[in-house]
Amino acid sequence: MFEGLGRFIHRGRKPLLIFTLLFAVLSGVYGVGVFGDMKPGGFEDPKSESRHAALLAEKAFPQRAPDAVVVYRNDDLTVDDPAFQKAVTDKVNSLPRSVVTGSAHFWMTKMPEQVSRDRHATYVAMNLHGSDDNIKEESYKAIKDKLDVPGFKTLRGGPVPTGHQAGEEIGEDLGAAEGFSFPVLFLFLVLVFGGLAAASLPLLVGGLSILGSMAVLRVIAQFTDVSVFAMSLVTVLGLAVAIDYGLLIVSRYREELDRGRTGSDALSRTVATAGRTVVVSGITVAVALFGMTFFPFAFLKSMAYGGVAAVVLSVFFSIIALPAALAVMGPKVNALSLRRKKRAARTPAPADGEGAWYRLAHGLMRRPVAITVVTLGVLIALASPFLRIDFGANDARQLPNTAEGRQVHNMLEKDFDGDGVKSIDSLLTLAGDATSKEQGAALQAYADKLGKVPGAKGAQITGAEGTTARVSVKFDGVAVSSPARDLVNDLREVTPPPGSKAYFGGETAVFDDTLDALADTLPMMLLYIAVATYILLFLAFGSVLLPLKAIAMNLLSLSATFGILVWIFQDGHLADVIGFDPTGNIEPNMPIMLFALIFGLSMDYEVFLVSRIREQYDLLGEPTAAVATGLQSIGRLIASAALLMCVPLAAMATSGVLTMTLFGVGMVIAILLDVFVVRILLVPAVMKLMGRASWWAPGPLQKLYSKYGIKEGDGVEAPDSTERVPVPS
């Protein structure tokens, strides 16, 4: 099948390139509009109790939790001066009511919490027009430049301004990351290939996949919510995976040219080997990323949409457009070489004891038990901090200290006594009129019970309309923390008034519902990824045990990565080196996204390595020799691909937004651990211990593999004598 595809591409190379150019133009023109169709947020479960509480509150009462918090400070005046009051209240009253649907300032509420300790600052809580985060952000953008008061320091914070500032920061950081990554990647590719022509081809695939993914996301955004954060994944993953696949295809094509093949023979052999590997790898990565759609959060679903689009398009262009370009270029793929001497017509496989990667594999397989035990011990030790992970939701602390939203957060924490708008709200649907004397007494009794729950600092009725009422519970501490979450669950145990039903809302309730939804869905996602990956790897390698080995190693590598991330980002180690302020917790969506990405990309390198080992095993018929010669032939390529993938990820790690920093650092750590520890050190040692059992399958499964396996398709190439390398057992 794959060799036939290669011959077809060679025959239709020019029309395929014209189609590729047309696709790039159309997808670029259409896809650039995706930014206007994307939405912020997406971190809440739309079917949760807290969301139901929010809908009840929106219908019955003015919003209690503000969308924006604007701080006004004057070093010469205090809030007790009439000039201070007039300046702020005049500004608030001048804002259009069609945009600012509600506001609360100190001179209205008389709440001491709204005044700083030195009385030179106060904040105004505002609610913005809009039924979702996207519309509210548009409302904010309409007034954000109208909030300044002459002579006052004005700072914009709260959920909507903070989300807007984070989006702007991410957009700037992504632009800087792309501007840095492309030239650096090109230079690295020139070093890998030794020529300008070959180095440009993987970048071409990366650009095509990014443009295509933008168009796909815009189409999806017409039918469902797509988070603005999805573009960060599309940009990085599209570029990184496309370069990996492009590197594999171009390297194999040059290898076939060095062996004396030309024309359709060289191309068909490239597609049959490297092309097959790319397809298996891409499907495996896409399957893992698709697992994020199991969760109810628009953020994770959006990441799945963008990630799957980027990977699938990278595979498509790597096995269609890139081979077509190679067919047109032919031997000119080696043009513009920077090396003085061209490679020999053929590079023989290393003789016994020759080749750095060969010698490394041979050395590892001499001591397989020791290598396995030591490597596993190191990975388990690195994973141990993961056992004490503490989750926390995104807030203004994800922004750099230069951002207004972060400054507002810092001022409220340091300069004000308590949070006047922080509460856990119980929204009740009642059997009768909430304003009646009987219901009022029942509500007050319920509020008294809530206020006496350990951790609560009092409760009061803050709304009664029709058959809906709201009781707000005050508390100290961080709203998105384990103690606050425990308080929500304790409050839920309090029996509401007879005939009523209570729905708890507010930031803490949202956080609790988020963690519950993640915990409920995670087992299904893990089972799906494990089963789907096992089936794909069996169809690729025809082995019963190798897929189990791959999954176990992936989980170990992932655990080690998460342990390091907890040590860095939760505990605060290396904060000064990396450049972030530790929050003491990890945003819960990030491990899920990283799991899907890292699991898929780890299988990426597993497929790269084991495909070449399988190819050598079919040629040599001896498992130890296959591992040594397989690693010799692909080791440098895998190491180069990993380092190249780390370039855009490391660029993202320099972002001023904490979640992007964590993502970039986590991916770099995961890739380096997986390639240089798991694939290069652990895989050869474990496969030596497994011996021929690596390729074992019972008779019925062998027949299944023979009929449906994802193989090269047109038979195994006859080996040359130079490829038979004796390796001592």
Side-chain angles (χ1 to χ4, degrees):
M1 178 181 72
F2 288 99
E3 285 199 3
L5 176 61
R7 297 186 189 281
F8 168 78
I9 293 172
H10 189 271
R11 290 193 301 270
R13 54 193 180 276
K14 291 183 179 179
L16 286 172
L17 287 180
I18 293 173
F19 167 79
T20 300
L21 178 61
L22 182 64
F23 177 88
V25 173
L26 294 177
S27 60
V29 171
Y30 178 74
V32 72
V34 70
F35 297 98
D37 294 332
M38 300 176 118
K39 298 183 178 181
F43 299 98
E44 297 182 16
D45 179 0
K47 297 181 180 179
S48 65
E49 177 186 330
S50 55
R51 179 58 181 164
H52 188 72
L55 293 175
L56 284 174
E58 185 178 350
K59 292 179 181 179
F61 316 112
Q63 260 183 286
R64 178 171 174 80
D67 298 313
V69 176
V70 184
V71 173
Y72 292 101
R73 181 174 183 84
N74 190 304
D75 291 333
D76 298 322
L77 303 175
T78 70
V79 295
D80 304 306
D81 293 315
F84 193 121
Q85 177 181 349
K86 185 176 187 305
V88 173
T89 55
D90 285 353
K91 172 57 65 176
V92 173
N93 293 334
S94 70
L95 298 173
R97 293 293 167 237
S98 60
V99 177
V100 180
T101 58
S103 60
H105 51 71
F106 165 67
W107 300 277
M108 176 193 302
T109 65
K110 306 300 182 182
M111 292 173 55
E113 294 92 343
Q114 281 189 264
V115 179
S116 63
R117 296 187 188 94
D118 65 4
R119 304 192 71 77
H120 283 280
T122 186
Y123 68 80
V124 180
M126 298 181 182
N127 294 123
L128 303 174
H129 167 72
S131 57
D132 59 37
D133 290 339
N134 197 42
I135 300 175
K136 288 182 179 181
E137 184 174 13
E138 292 300 318
S139 297
Y140 169 69
K141 288 191 288 186
I143 61 156
K144 71 183 183 71
D145 295 329
K146 301 177 181 179
L147 296 171
D148 291 307
V149 173
F152 286 71
K153 181 179 182 180
T154 305
L155 295 173
R156 303 153 183 83
V160 175
T162 296
H164 176 72
Q165 293 161 24
E168 287 187 327
E169 181 77 25
I170 289 172
E172 294 175 3
D173 293 341
L174 283 177
E178 290 177 13
F180 169 81
S181 298
F182 270 94
V184 172
L185 286 171
F186 181 71
L187 290 176
F188 281 5
L189 286 168
V190 169
L191 292 176
V192 172
F193 287 122
L196 300 177
S200 64
L201 293 175
L203 287 176
L204 171 66
V205 176
L208 289 170
S209 67
I210 291 173
L211 289 175
S213 298
M214 290 170 61
V216 171
L217 280 181
R218 188 176 183 189
V219 172
I220 295 174
Q222 309 310 309
F223 302 96
T224 187
D225 290 349
V226 175
S227 171
V228 68
F229 291 97
M231 273 310 303
S232 61
L233 183 63
V234 163
T235 301
V236 173
L237 189 64
L239 186 60
V241 172
I243 286 178
D244 266 11
Y245 296 160
L247 185 65
L248 191 66
I249 295 287
V250 174
S251 296
R252 188 60 186 243
Y253 182 72
R254 297 176 82 195
E255 187 178 320
E256 296 302 329
L257 291 179
D258 290 341
R259 288 177 173 171
R261 293 187 175 88
T262 58
S264 64
D265 290 340
L267 194 70
S268 62
R269 191 63 193 161
T270 297
V271 175
T273 52
R276 166 195 171 277
T277 300
V278 165
V279 169
V280 174
S281 173
I283 293 174
T284 307
V285 176
V287 162
L289 292 173
F290 186 78
M292 288 189 286
T293 63
F294 286 27
F295 294 92
F297 311 109
F299 171 78
L300 290 178
K301 289 180 182 290
S302 299
M303 290 297 179
Y305 302 148
V308 170
V311 171
V312 170
L313 287 171
S314 294
V315 171
F316 176 78
F317 288 118
S318 294
I319 65 169
I320 301 295
L322 182 54
L326 292 172
V328 171
M329 297 174 72
K332 292 182 180 178
V333 71
N334 294 315
L336 304 176
S337 175
L338 301 182
R339 294 173 180 168
R340 294 182 180 180
K341 295 182 180 180
K342 294 184 178 181
R343 295 175 64 186
R346 186 166 184 327
T347 303
D352 186 16
E354 294 180 0
W357 294 100
Y358 171 89
R359 291 194 297 272
L360 174 62
H362 191 38
L364 293 171
M365 289 188 288
R366 282 177 178 164
R367 307 168 187 85
V369 175
I371 295 296
T372 300
V373 171
V374 171
T375 304
L376 290 177
V378 170
L379 291 174
I380 292 172
L382 292 175
S384 59
F386 183 47
L387 296 174
R388 52 181 174 78
I389 188 170
D390 187 20
F391 293 111
N394 277 330
D395 57 25
R397 290 175 296 172
Q398 69 173 316
L399 293 173
N401 283 315
T402 54
E404 287 188 43
R406 179 63 183 274
Q407 292 178 43
V408 169
H409 176 273
N410 292 344
M411 287 186 67
L412 294 179
E413 288 286 322
K414 297 177 182 178
D415 300 336
F416 290 76
D417 289 322
D419 188 340
V421 296
K422 180 182 69 178
S423 66
I424 298 171
D425 296 330
S426 175
L427 275 297
L428 299 108
T429 56
L430 305 171
D433 185 358
T435 60
S436 68
K437 184 177 180 180
E438 180 182 352
Q439 288 291 349
L443 284 172
Q444 187 58 54
Y446 175 63
D448 292 341
K449 291 179 183 177
L450 292 179
K452 294 177 181 178
V453 171
K457 299 299 180 181
Q460 61 180 347
I461 302 170
T462 56
E465 182 71 30
T467 58
T468 304
R470 179 176 61 199
V471 177
S472 298
V473 181
K474 306 294 289 184
F475 65 99
D476 292 332
V478 179
V480 287
S481 63
S482 295
R485 187 185 179 202
D486 292 339
L487 175 58
V488 166
N489 289 313
D490 290 340
L491 293 171
R492 284 173 171 150
E493 295 298 320
V494 176
T495 304
S500 66
K501 184 171 178 58
Y503 301 90
F504 280 84
E507 190 176 5
T508 305
V510 170
F511 174 58
D512 184 64
D513 288 343
T514 296
L515 291 183
D516 286 344
L518 289 172
D520 291 343
T521 311
L522 184 59
M524 182 170 57
M525 175 200 178
L526 296 177
L527 180 62
Y528 153 76
I529 290 179
V531 172
T533 300
Y534 185 91
I535 293 172
L536 285 168
L537 292 185
F538 171 77
L539 293 176
F541 304 135
S543 166
V544 170
L545 298 180
L546 281 180
L548 293 176
K549 172 196 72 69
I551 292 171
M553 287 185 176
N554 272 21
L555 294 177
L556 191 59
S557 176
L558 274 161
S559 299
T561 298
F562 289 153
I564 296 173
L565 289 179
V566 168
W567 185 78
I568 294 175
F569 288 94
Q570 181 174 303
D571 298 345
H573 298 289
L574 305 180
D576 293 336
V577 176
I578 298 174
F580 70 93
D581 294 326
T583 61
N585 51 51
I586 303 290
E587 201 285 319
N589 284 282
M590 292 303 295
I592 302 297
M593 183 177 70
L594 286 171
F595 177 89
L597 276 168
I598 296 169
F599 192 94
L601 292 175
S602 296
M603 285 302 179
D604 203 29
Y605 295 113
E606 175 78 4
V607 172
F608 282 12
L609 177 59
V610 178
S611 291
R612 190 58 72 100
I613 293 175
R614 175 79 208 203
E615 185 180 341
Q616 293 297 313
Y617 182 72
D618 290 339
L619 294 172
L620 305 173
E622 207 286 315
T624 306
V627 172
T629 54
L631 187 61
Q632 172 63 33
S633 63
I634 199 70
R636 177 176 176 270
L637 185 64
I638 289 179
S640 299
L643 294 174
L644 286 167
M645 183 176 281
C646 286
V647 170
L649 293 169
M652 177 172 282
T654 63
S655 171
V657 179
L658 181 58
T659 50
M660 294 296 101
T661 302
L662 187 150
F663 174 80
V665 171
M667 291 297 294
V668 169
I669 291 172
I671 289 170
L672 296 180
L673 265 181
D674 188 78
V675 171
F676 293 99
V677 177
V678 174
R679 306 305 154 192
I680 291 177
L681 295 182
L682 193 55
V683 167
V686 172
M687 291 191 72
K688 171 64 177 179
L689 293 174
M690 294 171 67
R692 293 186 184 276
S694 297
W695 310 105
W696 174 81
L701 290 181
Q702 288 179 359
K703 293 179 181 178
L704 182 68
Y705 173 70
S706 299
K707 187 173 183 180
Y708 299 107
I710 309 173
K711 302 183 289 294
E712 294 177 11
D714 298 318
V716 178
E717 179 192 25
D720 298 325
S721 60
T722 53
E723 291 183 301
R724 292 192 176 275
V725 183
V727 180
S729 300

